[in-house]
Amino acid sequence: GTPQKYDPTFKGPIYHRGCTDIICCVFLLLAIVGYVAVGIIAWTHGDPRKVIYPTDSRGEFCGQKGTKNANKPYLFYFNIVKCASPLVLLEFQCPTPQICVEKCPDRYLTYLNAHRSEDFEYYKQFCVPGFQGNKGVGEVLRDGDCPAVLIPSKPLARRCFPAIHAHKGVLMVGNETTYEDGHGSRKNITELVEGAKKANGVLEARQLAMRIFEDYTVSWYWIVIGLVIAMVMSLLFIVLLRFLAGIMVWVMIIMVILVLGYGIFHCYMEYTRLRGEAGSDISLVDLGFQTDLRVYLHLRQTWMAFMIILSILEAVIILLLIFLRKRILIAIALIKEASRAVGYVMCSLLYPLVTFLLLCLCIAYWASTAVFLSTSNEAVYKIFDDGTCQVAGKTCNPETFASSNESRLCPGAHCQFAFYGGESGYHRALLGLQIFNAFMFFWLANFVLALGQVTLPGAFASYYWALHKPDDLPAFPLFSAFGRALRYHTGSLAFGALILAIVQIIRVMLEYLDQRLKGAAHQWLTRASGRWGGGAGLRNIIRSGKAPSSDKVTDFLFLLGKLLIVGSVGILAFFFFTHRIRIVQDTAPPLNYYWVPILTVIIGSYLIAHGFFSVYGMCVDTLFLCFWKDLERNDGSQERPYFMSPELRDILLKGSAEEGKRAEVEE
């Protein structure tokens, strides 16, 4: 573009401002209003208790105090084989009648055999409430009043599942490998297994979640201590950077290399220790996935994999440091200048907390709305008839169907449970509302992140364009930048976040379809897209095959700092929660999965370290951009002085000159 002319009153682009992308700002406000309306509607219709407690086909909770099912804590499926239907994946419910019972069946019976025997009273407790037994066998089974067959079952997560066991590799229920379906034919036990698997899929995940929750309840304070240690280390590192930037960078580099080196040494010692130990030579493929990750630590292959990964990472870091040794000096100079800027705008270190709280608010609203929407479904009953009844297929109420006009019109018809869902406009729109909920989450989360990416650079730009520091700095640079971002650039932030949200929601939907698609068509699409994406990636690598700029080297150094903090806290957490620190061996809590607190500490430590270092990274990027703008408008004379310190300006200009010569040689 055209170089800017010198302006003696220029102190940064903060004057003659105007609102940008006003239309997008209006769209965002309207979308937020609609999002709130969706939340209110979802909270009105949904019931989160459905996620925790089982409900029968009439939507009544099992085992809830103050209800008629207070003494019936278990849910019984009339025909669990139907749980193998694809509807389970769509409706998250089995398309079969379900009732609450006092206990699960413990014997094998069919209705054909039980209705005229002494077992009939036992059988009746698994029929619909109010069943009297005054109908014929065909009518009972046709109307769905009783299950056709009872199979020995055991309760799991308050649901009755067939008590299937394996004997010498053969699946059995009781002493049988087949069962009578209650309609005069026998079926294989594997059909029960498929139904139980589908019905139990969500329950297994729920059981895993409960164990993880238990681990959090007994280890949360130790997790907090680990996160506090990470925060103290991050804050101490940032403070030391303020005064000892050069020394701290080299200390950080050396410490990262040493920590990775110790990790390689520890993996080698564990690999050597397990030599000859029984079961240690089993491969990871043969073992498969295990929720208890401690099992993997007894395999030599695990430690070999860790050692290879750490060795590759160590080699990559060392090679990068060798090739970037000159640029590291420029990066250190940038970090020193950034330290001065952060020192004058200390409240910038707390801004990541604002971003974190806003993101937590977005996540909480999205999650609660999703739960309420997913629990808005109701049991739908429809009219079934073996003949040509004209009202067949219409919805009905099982409690009033006997006295309804439909019953008199079609005497042979019956009102039977059909599926979980709903036929109102709200229920038909549930899928769309869930997609809108996810889309708004992406939009708002990206907006929050973009707001921080505008606010922090605005504060640091105020520092750069202050000729006499700190006298020319505004009283509250961070608050001033935050106000400018909201006042003038809400529309632009909303527009950028909207584009990202559209891409992300499309990506989520495509990933979902990718999980569902099977067969040759899927393989062909994968190969075609892989060839196209790989070629595009290679072309861009060739096109942009230049050495990284100084600010990117700074990002690399900050990444090493994050790895140092995360690695140190992660190693400490690993030794503590696996009871390997003898001094506090008895203090560590007993856990179902020790990886739960360790991963939480590692992820939390990274987020904390990233929050602190991102402020520095944003500051370096801002100063770097302002520097080139400064060179364009000023010449360093008394009338047109530079705003950056002479030391940093000379280093950057020297680095730029060397980079220009290198580019000419390459061309």
Side-chain angles (χ1 to χ4, degrees):
T2 304
Q4 297 290 327
K5 297 181 179 180
Y6 172 67
D7 182 2
T9 63
F10 182 77
K11 293 184 178 180
I14 59 175
Y15 302 110
H16 308 294
R17 290 181 179 272
C19 296
T20 57
D21 297 313
I22 300 177
I23 296 178
C24 289
C25 180
V26 174
F27 282 160
L28 176 63
L29 295 178
L30 293 176
I32 291 176
V33 172
Y35 198 22
V36 172
V38 169
I40 294 174
I41 295 174
W43 299 334
T44 303
H45 291 81
D47 191 345
R49 290 181 298 175
K50 293 180 182 178
V51 179
I52 304 173
Y53 303 105
T55 56
D56 62 13
S57 295
R58 298 188 178 184
E60 298 174 348
F61 296 105
C62 298
Q64 295 302 297
K65 295 181 179 180
T67 66
K68 62 181 181 181
N69 292 328
N71 297 324
K72 299 178 179 180
Y74 304 115
L75 185 69
F76 172 72
Y77 300 91
F78 271 30
N79 187 1
I80 200 169
V81 174
K82 291 187 177 181
C83 294
S85 167
L87 286 176
V88 177
L89 301 176
L90 299 175
E91 308 282 349
F92 296 101
Q93 294 285 358
C94 295
T96 183
Q98 304 162 34
I99 62 171
C100 300
V101 295
E102 293 184 12
K103 57 182 179 180
C104 297
D106 56 6
R107 65 191 74 171
Y108 178 83
L109 286 173
T110 64
Y111 188 81
L112 289 171
N113 298 329
H115 80 287
R116 292 189 180 184
S117 68
E118 58 184 11
D119 293 325
F120 189 58
E121 289 298 322
Y122 174 82
Y123 204 101
K124 284 170 61 177
Q125 65 180 314
F126 299 101
C127 298
V128 295
F131 175 71
Q132 299 298 327
N134 53 1
K135 296 182 180 180
V137 174
E139 291 179 301
V140 171
L141 298 181
R142 182 199 64 188
D143 297 342
D145 293 332
C146 295
V149 61
L150 295 182
I151 297 175
S153 305
K154 292 183 179 180
L156 176 62
R158 298 189 179 186
R159 275 88 170 169
C160 296
F161 289 100
I164 300 172
H165 65 278
H167 179 68
K168 295 182 179 180
V170 180
L171 295 177
M172 305 178 68
V173 173
N175 296 322
E176 300 289 335
T177 57
T178 60
Y179 73 99
E180 187 176 341
D181 64 357
H183 297 280
S185 60
R186 301 192 68 84
K187 294 186 177 181
N188 198 288
I189 298 299
T190 55
E191 296 188 23
L192 290 177
V193 174
E194 290 301 318
K197 280 183 179 179
K198 292 289 180 66
N200 194 36
V202 178
L203 301 180
E204 289 181 349
R206 188 174 299 168
Q207 290 292 320
L208 177 63
M210 290 301 296
R211 295 190 186 101
I212 293 175
F213 179 76
E214 291 174 359
D215 288 342
Y216 278 125
T217 58
V218 299
S219 63
W220 66 269
Y221 45 91
W222 294 110
I223 294 176
V224 172
I225 292 175
L227 297 180
V228 169
I229 293 174
M231 184 179 66
V232 171
M233 289 181 62
S234 301
L235 184 60
L236 180 62
F237 204 96
I238 293 298
V239 172
L240 291 177
L241 275 179
R242 171 69 177 86
F243 302 101
L244 303 170
I247 297 176
M248 287 303 299
V249 168
W250 290 111
V251 169
M252 175 181 64
I253 293 173
I254 295 173
M255 288 298 296
V256 168
I257 294 175
L258 291 178
V259 169
L260 290 176
Y262 172 77
I264 296 171
F265 171 76
H266 181 77
C267 292
Y268 174 77
M269 295 301 296
E270 291 291 333
Y271 177 80
T272 306
R273 182 182 64 82
L274 292 174
R275 180 179 300 166
E277 187 171 317
S280 62
D281 292 326
I282 299 176
S283 67
L284 295 173
V285 176
D286 294 336
L287 182 62
F289 175 74
Q290 303 291 329
T291 55
D292 188 357
L293 298 185
R294 285 174 292 189
V295 175
Y296 296 105
L297 298 182
H298 296 283
L299 302 180
R300 299 184 71 206
Q301 198 174 89
T302 301
W303 294 105
M304 173 62 73
F306 286 159
M307 184 167 60
I308 293 174
I309 293 173
L310 292 178
S311 299
I312 293 175
L313 185 60
E314 179 94 317
V316 169
I317 291 177
I318 291 176
L319 289 175
L320 286 175
L321 291 174
I322 292 174
F323 286 110
L324 301 177
R325 60 188 183 277
K326 293 183 178 180
R327 297 180 181 275
I328 290 176
L329 299 177
I330 301 176
I332 291 175
L334 278 171
I335 293 175
K336 288 181 178 180
E337 188 67 22
S339 299
R340 298 189 188 98
V342 173
Y344 288 118
V345 194
M346 284 298 292
C347 56
S348 61
L349 294 175
L350 300 178
Y351 188 82
L353 294 178
V354 177
T355 302
F356 175 75
L357 293 177
L358 291 176
L359 286 177
C360 287
L361 181 62
C362 294
I363 293 172
Y365 188 87
W366 162 78
S368 60
T369 303
V371 169
F372 276 92
L373 286 174
S374 62
T375 56
S376 298
N377 288 331
E378 299 174 349
V380 176
Y381 290 82
K382 291 194 174 185
I383 300 175
F384 289 85
D385 182 73
D386 296 334
T388 58
C389 178
Q390 59 184 359
V391 295
K394 292 186 177 181
T395 57
C396 58
N397 187 339
E399 297 181 354
T400 61
F401 180 73
S403 59
S404 64
N405 293 329
E406 289 83 358
S407 178
R408 290 190 292 269
L409 183 62
C410 301
H414 57 280
C415 185
Q416 183 176 324
F417 168 82
F419 56 88
Y420 277 94
E423 296 190 341
S424 66
Y426 169 73
H427 290 98
R428 286 193 293 267
L430 276 178
L431 179 60
L433 292 178
Q434 286 284 21
I435 295 176
F436 177 74
N437 182 34
F439 172 75
M440 284 302 302
F441 166 72
F442 286 130
W443 194 0
L444 293 177
N446 288 316
F447 178 83
V448 169
L449 294 175
L451 181 61
Q453 293 167 355
V454 171
T455 300
L456 286 174
F460 295 129
S462 299
Y463 161 83
Y464 185 94
W465 297 112
L467 183 59
H468 303 288
K469 303 174 179 61
D471 297 334
D472 292 344
L473 274 171
F476 302 101
L478 185 65
F479 292 106
S480 300
F482 185 79
R484 288 197 302 269
L486 288 179
R487 180 180 178 184
Y488 298 110
H489 304 301
T490 298
S492 297
L493 299 178
F495 180 64
L498 175 62
I499 295 175
L500 290 175
I502 293 174
V503 173
Q504 290 167 342
I505 197 67
I506 293 176
R507 179 180 177 183
V508 169
M509 296 174 68
L510 290 177
E511 288 180 352
Y512 174 79
L513 293 176
D514 181 68
Q515 296 295 324
R516 296 297 179 203
L517 290 176
K518 302 292 182 182
H522 168 65
Q523 296 174 3
W524 180 84
L525 287 172
T526 303
R527 289 196 300 268
S529 61
R531 189 183 305 115
W532 177 80
L538 182 60
R539 287 191 298 271
N540 280 285
I541 290 175
I542 295 174
R543 186 182 305 157
S544 59
K546 299 179 181 179
S549 58
S550 301
D551 57 333
K552 298 305 177 184
V553 177
T554 307
D555 293 338
F556 171 67
L557 294 179
F558 287 150
L559 175 62
L560 294 183
K562 298 174 194 176
L563 292 178
L564 176 61
I565 294 172
V566 173
S568 302
V569 177
I571 291 174
L572 179 63
F574 173 78
F575 281 108
F576 176 77
F577 287 111
T578 55
H579 305 272
R580 300 195 179 195
I581 303 178
R582 294 184 179 180
I583 301 177
V584 291
Q585 192 171 16
D586 298 331
T587 308
L591 301 167
N592 295 311
Y593 310 116
Y594 75 91
W595 52 265
V596 171
I598 293 177
L599 285 181
T600 304
V601 169
I602 290 176
I603 295 174
S605 299
Y606 178 81
L607 293 177
I608 291 173
H610 178 73
F612 282 99
F613 281 97
S614 65
V615 175
Y616 259 81
M618 197 73 69
C619 183
V620 169
D621 291 341
T622 303
L623 297 180
F624 202 71
L625 293 175
C626 291
F627 166 71
W628 296 112
K629 193 70 174 179
D630 192 5
L631 290 180
E632 183 183 71
R633 304 187 68 102
N634 303 300
D635 58 7
S637 63
Q638 186 175 0
E639 293 79 12
R640 299 170 61 182
Y642 290 123
F643 285 79
M644 181 169 279
S645 61
E647 299 85 2
L648 180 59
R649 184 181 65 253
D650 295 340
I651 293 176
L652 290 179
L653 289 176
K654 181 180 178 182
S656 300
E658 293 178 354
E659 191 169 315
K661 292 179 181 178
R662 188 181 299 109
E664 292 178 359
V665 172
E666 291 177 356
E667 292 177 356

